[in-house]
Amino acid sequence: MTDRQKTRERPNPRRAFAQSYGSLLNEGFNRRTVLKGFLASSAVAAMGGSFGVRNATANEGASTLTFTELTRVRDAQDHWPEGYDRQVLLRWGDAIFPDSPEFDLATIDGPAAERQFGYNNDFTAFLPLPLGSSASDRGLLLVSHEYASPFLMFPGLSMEDYRDKLTDAQIRTVMAATGVSIVEIKRNGTLWEVVKDGDYNRRIHMGTEMLISGPAAGDDRLKTKADPTGTVVFGTISNCNGGVTPWGTMLSGEEGSMDVFAGDYRTLGNQELVERQGWDEDENDIYSVSRVEPRFKFENEPNEWMKFDWVVEIDPMDPTAKPIKRTALGRMTHEGAQVSVAPDGRIVVFMGDDDDFEYLYRFVTRDKFNPDDRAANKDLLDNGTLSVAKFASDGTMEWIPLVAGEGPLTADAGFATQADVVLNTRAAADLVGATPMDAPEGFIPHTGTGKLYVAMTENEDRLPAGEDDFESVNPANPRGPNPHGHLLELVPPDAPLAPDHAANIFTWDVFALCGNPGKPEDESLYHPDTTQNGWFTDPDNIGVDPAGRIWVTTDGPPPDGMADAVYAMDTEGPGRALPRLFYIPPTGSEACSPTFTPDATSLFMSVQHPGELRIDDMEDAESMAEAGTSWPDFGETMPARPSLVVLTRRNGGVVGS
Ligand code: FEO
Ligand code: CA
Ligand code: CA
């Protein structure tokens, strides 16, 4: 993402913010307003039932965001503010190489899909070219393709019968259309265009050869017939969100890849691990891939599933480099992996484990980032300390190390080696008393203030106080049940000038409690000026723009027929926690991963799973014919196509302000 690139060029994040901010002055930005917000203190609110008093009193003045807020709507189209343009830059099946075949559902197969932009794009980052520059007119899009819905991709299939009816060519298409796309783009006048003959363009998918590194590499539990060394894997699955390192590599979180495996999970050896990893029988075998690749069936290859659900590091600057699964970062349902540089030069990666009652994690490298020698950072993510978050009611939080042999992580408890820890990360975190969260997704350091913003999507199963020690409300997840989700703000020591993201103790606060402020029963909390268009539920991804505003996307069929959308808000000053509705994707879709060019004049986002709901009753669309939209093509025979969009201001100015 843009934030990460700034960090790479200038390791001090505070300085990076100041420089970005400087460019905004040319846009007529009110310096005093920004600084006032930026320097506002961040006293920690006590949690004794009166969380967020600070937000409720910050009601004077206005947001730094000046776009005209949208009016809520849910239909087959997407919507953006007056005075802005929206370009659909890349659709599923679009050519990304000179020889890519035209998108054609009648002939598409694995080899074709490997030459085209993938399906259900999620993570999106803009890496300026040349690497290390602040270019805002040329760069690489680093994009993940999380999953596929075959019954919405191909005609004649339904949710009921598609597993049996999929042809081998369609299965191969799905395997090739998920994973990662790396695509060079350049700006041509007011529009962006794909550079099909770009040197770096690449597709990575369910068959791409990769390496496994870190504590679990070579472990017996990762050995298979095709890989007796336990250090190689073919493919990446369920690539959800991610991050970009300061040396310009992409991190991709594998989120719940067990869904694609077939067979009887009860035949697997370690049933405790299987259950702790979140097995869901109903979701089994969602692509029928074992029909063409037997390794994806438990009975054929009982260890194959252990090779997935890691963080994958990909070097976009070398299309021949094998991606590497970095096991030191733990195995879980990885959402993203956002990166910062601590004041001492160590790298810090923040990760959410996106399931109900799962945890927030952090990885701090042993060694320091070398900004002058890219190659020296190549294996930084193999050595370091994985930790998990524990929140206290006094407004502090602690990062508890997950290290074999430390504390309760003994050999007797099953953690004789660090491989044991990273292969069963959730169980290790259980033992040290981590705080169970309400399905944490977006988790991002703010490039200016050094504070972190975390999105808990929702957790209907969260219990009220006192009913269960583990599942009841806790200081950081204060509503039970929690159908609407919330945002937390974590504050490292020495923020904002030298935020120490590697420190063990942070402070924290509730930033927003989602829901409808017009309904007292929602117990929501935002800036009091929040409009009926501006409130939201189910926060998922969070982006930070170069002026320091956060952009929150939502994911979940919200109540009252709302569409998922994108909301922007200040984090400091009079507009703190005042969300404004900026973009509405077509029905059934979520917008993912808002990311900006360094000059903030282009906003890139993924539009994932358009049409997944029916238009009339918002129930699941069970076939292409039932899809709530065929955006963006709207052709008679065209499916809805997940796409990457770009938002720009018609006057060429900074997006949002
Ligand atoms: Fe892939 Fe947690 O969303
Ligand atoms: Ca997500
Ligand atoms: Ca989600």
Side-chain angles (χ1 to χ4, degrees):
M1 287 186 169
T2 304
D3 330 339
R4 305 281 73 75
Q5 298 331 304
K6 292 197 168 306
T7 309
R8 176 170 48 72
E9 291 160 47
R10 299 177 288 269
N12 181 336
R14 170 65 187 90
R15 196 162 8 127
F17 177 79
Q19 292 183 3
S20 306
Y21 161 72
S23 70
L24 290 170
L25 294 177
N26 300 330
E27 299 295 331
F29 232 67
N30 181 331
R31 181 187 185 102
R32 224 174 125 250
T33 307
V34 174
L35 285 182
K36 193 170 148 199
F38 183 63
L39 298 173
S41 75
S42 173
V44 176
M47 286 302 304
S50 60
F51 34 79
V53 170
R54 181 158 49 91
N55 288 337
T57 56
N59 60 355
E60 82 286 1
S63 170
T64 65
L65 293 149
T66 58
F67 65 87
T68 303
E69 181 169 66
L70 297 184
T71 300
R72 275 199 206 293
V73 62
R74 184 181 74 84
D75 60 22
Q77 310 277 350
D78 59 337
H79 302 269
W80 57 94
E82 273 293 320
Y84 284 75
D85 287 313
R86 185 279 280 134
Q87 178 187 359
V88 177
L89 178 57
L90 279 159
R91 302 163 296 183
W92 167 45
D94 276 352
I96 59 169
F97 298 98
D99 65 349
S100 301
E102 285 292 307
F103 178 72
D104 181 353
L105 283 178
T107 58
I108 197 167
D109 57 10
E114 281 181 30
R115 308 298 286 170
Q116 298 169 337
F117 192 64
Y119 194 80
N120 269 352
N121 41 305
D122 183 326
F123 179 69
T124 303
F126 178 81
L127 187 65
L129 287 178
L131 185 67
S133 74
S134 291
S136 291
D137 57 359
R138 179 176 166 236
L140 297 180
L141 285 176
L142 314 179
V143 181
S144 67
H145 303 283
E146 185 175 10
Y147 70 99
S149 297
F151 49 92
L152 300 179
M153 300 165 80
F154 308 111
L157 303 177
S158 77
M159 199 186 268
E160 291 296 308
D161 64 17
Y162 79 94
R163 286 176 168 90
D164 295 329
K165 280 192 174 174
L166 278 171
T167 65
D168 287 1
Q170 288 170 331
I171 294 170
R172 293 278 182 201
T173 299
V174 166
M175 292 178 68
T178 52
V180 168
S181 291
I182 295 166
V183 186
E184 183 174 337
I185 58 168
K186 69 176 182 193
R187 193 164 174 153
N188 188 355
T190 58
L191 294 176
W192 287 87
E193 61 185 37
V194 172
V195 182
K196 289 184 199 164
D197 58 357
D199 290 341
Y200 308 108
N201 294 359
R202 184 178 188 185
R203 279 302 323 281
I204 289 164
H205 47 74
M206 224 184 277
T208 304
E209 185 174 354
M210 317 197 164
L211 303 177
I212 297 172
S213 72
D219 191 278
D220 284 348
R221 288 161 285 190
L222 292 177
K223 292 176 179 168
T224 57
K225 289 191 277 293
D227 167 35
T229 69
T231 60
V232 177
V233 54
F234 287 89
T236 183
I237 302 180
S238 302
N239 302 82
C240 186
N241 218 262
V244 179
T245 66
W247 53 98
T249 58
M250 172 184 181
L251 302 181
S252 179
E254 294 184 314
E255 189 196 38
S257 48
M258 226 171 150
D259 295 351
V260 310
F261 283 83
D264 183 353
Y265 67 93
R266 286 162 299 206
T267 63
L268 293 169
N270 186 342
Q271 284 298 297
E272 260 177 49
L273 175 62
V274 171
E275 284 167 25
R276 192 63 192 84
Q277 199 64 24
W279 178 257
D280 183 344
E281 204 171 359
D282 293 340
E283 292 297 314
N284 190 13
D285 194 18
I286 58 173
Y287 307 136
S288 299
V289 286
S290 67
R291 209 197 305 156
V292 299
E293 295 256 0
R295 65 188 168 112
F296 288 114
K297 187 168 186 180
F298 296 127
E299 286 83 348
N300 297 332
E301 198 53 271
N303 286 345
E304 186 74 17
W305 72 291
M306 298 291 284
K307 291 173 178 282
F308 299 89
D309 283 340
W310 302 102
V311 169
V312 191
E313 184 175 12
I314 298 162
D315 185 355
M317 305 310 294
D318 179 1
T320 66
K322 290 175 186 168
I324 303 175
K325 299 202 179 183
R326 301 289 184 188
T327 65
L329 279 63
R331 181 164 188 261
M332 63 193 81
T333 301
H334 280 287
E335 171 78 14
Q338 294 283 344
V339 189
S340 76
V341 185
D344 66 5
R346 287 180 293 165
I347 294 297
V348 188
V349 186
F350 293 98
M351 302 173 285
D353 183 354
D354 182 13
D355 270 323
D356 289 353
F357 304 111
E358 294 302 339
Y359 306 123
L360 296 176
Y361 294 87
R362 181 186 77 175
F363 181 77
V364 180
T365 58
R366 180 189 66 192
D367 302 323
K368 294 178 180 176
F369 165 55
N370 184 340
D372 304 317
D373 181 1
R374 186 168 191 259
N377 305 304
K378 173 167 75 69
D379 294 319
L380 265 188
L381 298 180
D382 281 343
N383 294 291
T385 305
L386 181 66
S387 307
V388 67
K390 180 174 188 171
F391 291 80
S393 56
D394 66 356
T396 63
M397 61 156 299
E398 182 181 2
W399 292 103
I400 305 177
L402 300 176
V403 176
E406 281 190 17
L409 303 182
T410 61
D412 282 351
F415 298 102
T417 66
Q418 195 60 19
D420 295 332
V421 172
V422 298
L423 283 160
N424 199 0
T425 306
R426 287 175 165 184
D430 293 341
L431 276 186
V432 303
T435 300
M437 311 298 289
D438 289 341
E441 301 214 55
F443 188 3
I444 190 168
H446 186 292
T447 6
T449 64
K451 296 178 183 179
L452 291 125
Y453 294 88
V454 196
M456 267 53 65
T457 331
E458 61 157 317
N459 185 356
E460 293 273 8
D461 296 328
R462 174 70 67 187
L463 296 172
E467 296 196 5
D468 177 293
D469 277 353
F470 187 79
E471 297 194 347
S472 284
V473 292
N474 60 49
N477 300 271
R479 291 180 300 183
N482 180 11
H484 305 306
H486 59 286
L487 297 174
L488 294 181
E489 179 179 69
L490 314 187
V491 186
D494 304 325
L497 292 177
D500 187 0
H501 289 141
N504 285 335
I505 306 289
F506 288 15
T507 58
W508 66 277
D509 201 354
V510 172
F511 183 77
L513 295 173
C514 305
N516 184 347
K519 286 187 180 172
E521 64 270 29
D522 281 7
E523 297 179 302
S524 64
L525 173 77
Y526 310 91
H527 191 291
D529 293 350
T530 301
T531 70
Q532 273 299 305
N533 291 309
W535 64 269
F536 57 95
T537 76
D538 301 85
D540 189 327
N541 298 157
I542 307 171
V544 181
D545 75 21
R549 288 78 60 97
I550 59 171
W551 297 68
V552 176
T553 69
T554 69
D555 174 23
D560 309 318
M562 275 166 60
D564 276 312
V566 180
Y567 304 82
M569 67 204 82
D570 293 332
T571 59
E572 307 285 342
R576 175 179 161 89
L578 174 55
R580 295 165 63 89
L581 173 53
F582 179 80
Y583 178 74
I584 303 173
T587 187
S589 57
E590 62 174 303
C592 305
S593 239
T595 189
F596 297 80
T597 49
D599 68 2
T601 61
S602 293
L603 162 57
F604 301 95
M605 284 187 291
S606 281
V607 173
Q608 195 186 21
H609 54 78
E612 203 171 67
L613 302 176
R614 297 196 295 241
I615 195 86
D616 48 353
D617 59 5
M618 291 189 76
E619 293 295 320
D620 287 341
E622 299 195 358
S623 66
M624 194 193 285
E626 282 189 3
T629 182
S630 54
W631 182 92
D633 304 295
F634 296 105
E636 278 287 294
T637 57
M638 289 299 279
R641 291 207 271 175
S643 299
L644 198 141
V645 298
V646 195
L647 278 294
T648 51
R649 266 179 88 173
R650 212 161 287 153
N651 67 4
V654 165
V655 172
S657 50

